[in-house]
Amino acid sequence: MPNIVIVGIQWGDEGKGKIVDLLADHADIIVRFQGGNNAGHTLVVDDKKIILHLIPSGILHPDKLCIIGNGVVVDPEVLIEEIESLRGQGFFPDDAMLRVSSEAHLIMPYHKLIDHAREAKNAKGKIGTTGRGIGPAYEDKATRVGIRMCDLANPGFLKERIESALAERNFLLTRYFDQSPVDPREVFDRLMALSEKITQYIADIPAILASRIARGASVMFEGAQGTLLDIDHGTFPYVTSSHTVAGCAATGAGIGPTMIDAVYGISKAYTTRVGGGPFPTELFDDIGRCLQEKGTEFGATTGRKRRCGWFDAVAAQHSVRVNSLSGIIMTKLDVLSGLSSLMICTGYEVDGRLIDEFPSDIPTLDRVVPRYIELPGFKDDIGKARDYSDLPDNARNYIDKIEELLAVPVTMISVGAERTQTIIRRHPFAP
Ligand code: IMP
């Protein structure tokens, strides 16, 4: 059975939760490899709504191993809350279902303070972060003052690490952000109290993955956010602080790239974005409002309204390239039903010149004028479609056009929030 990577190919919120949950049936191990609790996967199971921010969606399946890889930044408070909430809803019956990398970095209380203080101070260039301390936690990793899961086993060392991180961070908090300093002793004591509930999950993930894969296990690597939020390949600086592209599945979990058999990109049938930053196909009219309402486009993590717009094939082509996609899984096609025409952006005009590449710089992206092709819409309720042939001609026409523009097959199509509301043209786990 193959090992596959699932990533979002837009600005996050592509509906990965439902798809990963659906595909988890066919994988033995589900791995998160980047990001943190800035992600929010909404799952609907038997009319119960479950929102997961950190733990892989596979946790709803009792026979799976769920892994939080070294590339993830973990807020220990959130991890414990999520475990307890899952238990309260009758999921996660066995501790052995979850393992967290000993190399994963922790989101500390001061990371959250800095995240908020920076956004407040930087009102003009606001990124619109989720405020979960993600950026500052990755900063500490890069500057080598971060705290890792394995440090919890060495209290003396941990105490010193916290003190040395705070020597710098408190300077920033008090002198630059006008905030109160954080007491290293309090941070240490709190973390030691939390560590009792976490240490049982900490493990050597590369060793587990290597041995399970060698024995034939199939792994699904579950990306969070989306390609256009990647720190290198996204709309920098309006991005998250991790690599959201498929390549990070290898570095963020501790396997080599030759272990990956296929990469699937999840895309909404239209486009959304939360937070700041350029969004060439954004709609400010009734159609944008209609997509927002019909698609219930509110962030699962922050509850913010998502900005909505047409499908952008220029941005999607960029995502196809940087992820080497094997196929596309399209979600929320049902939301487009009722619109008289459907627009697809196939090029950008910049200063009178037509380009078909996704610009890296914000000043250019901010002034591109999208060029569209117009296709006829469809009116039917497609929530009951289970086969490609059940879709109205115009819906198929729309998907065929996207396949043609991206030169990648659309292998699955989601037509509603329930697991069953899915058309599978080619199963990602098919041999
Ligand atoms: P951060 O990841 O909290 O630092 O936020 C950086 C940017 O990424 C902001 O624009 C957020 O709105 C966006 N972002 C982070 N996580 C998600 C997500 O899961 N879905 C959509 N946008 C996200």
Side-chain angles (χ1 to χ4, degrees), residues 11-13 16 38-40 115 127-135 224-225 229 238-241 273-276 301 304:
W11 280 285
D13 309 318
K16 291 182 289 295
N38 46 350
D115 205 2
I127 306 289
T129 75
T130 58
R132 304 298 194 258
I134 307 295
Q225 290 83 48
L229 288 172
Y238 298 95
V239 291
T240 191
S241 298
R273 170 164 210 171
V274 279
T301 303
R304 288 178 290 180

Side-chain angles (χ1 to χ4, degrees), residues 95-384:
D95 281 334
M97 291 172 65
L98 179 68
R99 287 293 171 264
V100 181
S101 170
S102 54
E103 296 165 332
H105 280 245
L106 296 178
I107 298 178
M108 304 293 281
Y110 44 90
H111 293 145
K112 290 179 262 190
L113 292 175
I114 293 169
D115 205 2
H116 283 291
R118 186 176 281 148
E119 287 281 82
K121 190 165 177 111
N122 192 16
K124 200 163 153 254
K126 212 174 156 118
I127 306 289
T129 75
T130 58
R132 304 298 194 258
I134 307 295
Y138 279 114
E139 277 169 39
D140 279 7
K141 177 175 177 170
T143 52
R144 292 155 295 188
V145 294
I147 310 293
R148 299 190 299 162
M149 282 289 169
C150 54
D151 298 335
L152 298 179
N154 302 293
F157 180 75
L158 174 66
K159 195 159 172 279
E160 274 173 31
R161 298 283 298 164
I162 293 174
E163 280 163 1
S164 99
L166 272 174
E168 232 178 81
R169 293 319 220 168
N170 269 339
F171 183 83
L172 185 70
L173 273 168
T174 55
R175 304 285 287 272
Y176 186 66
F177 290 128
D178 286 329
Q179 303 285 314
S180 310
V182 173
D183 179 357
R185 181 82 224 179
E186 269 175 34
V187 173
F188 172 76
D189 290 344
R190 177 79 189 130
L191 195 52
M192 287 317 292
L194 296 172
S195 83
E196 283 170 26
K197 296 186 177 173
I198 292 178
T199 42
Q200 62 190 307
Y201 301 108
I202 301 175
D204 178 343
I205 302 303
I208 293 177
L209 286 175
S211 102
R212 292 286 306 267
I213 291 172
R215 285 185 281 134
S218 182
V219 186
M220 175 166 58
F221 297 91
E222 170 186 346
Q225 290 83 48
T227 300
L228 304 177
L229 288 172
D230 183 277
I231 186 137
D232 280 338
H233 302 292
T235 48
F236 187 91
Y238 298 95
V239 291
T240 191
S241 298
S242 65
H243 287 289
T244 58
V245 294
C248 185
T251 55
I255 54 149
T258 54
M259 291 290 122
I260 297 169
D261 297 295
V263 178
Y264 288 87
I266 308 202
S267 170
K268 271 181 197 159
Y270 48 97
T271 311
T272 64
R273 170 164 210 171
V274 279
F279 179 177
T281 61
E282 183 167 10
L283 290 166
F284 300 94
D285 57 5
D286 283 348
I287 298 179
R289 279 186 286 280
C290 163
L291 293 175
Q292 203 271 322
E293 276 161 32
K294 205 163 163 213
T296 44
E297 296 296 355
F298 291 94
T301 303
T302 56
R304 288 178 290 180
K305 254 189 195 180
R306 295 179 186 142
R307 302 152 65 191
C308 297
W310 293 117
F311 185 85
D312 184 342
V314 181
Q317 277 157 349
H318 168 74
S319 296
V320 168
R321 285 191 286 272
V322 295
N323 290 298
S324 301
L325 292 189
S326 321
I328 289 183
I329 298 173
M330 182 176 282
T331 59
K332 292 196 156 183
L333 183 64
D334 51 302
V335 174
L336 294 183
S337 160
L339 296 175
S340 54
S341 352
L342 302 174
M343 313 289 264
I344 300 176
C345 169
T346 54
Y348 295 153
E349 196 181 309
V350 195
D351 307 329
R353 211 165 37 90
L354 198 63
I355 57 167
D356 57 9
E357 273 153 28
F358 192 67
S360 329
D361 65 297
I362 298 300
T364 305
L365 256 179
D366 268 342
R367 66 180 198 282
V368 300
V369 180
R371 289 284 166 243
Y372 292 103
I373 51 167
E374 183 173 355
L375 300 178
F378 54 94
K379 299 252 178 290
D380 327 43
D381 172 5
I382 58 168
K384 291 197 168 54

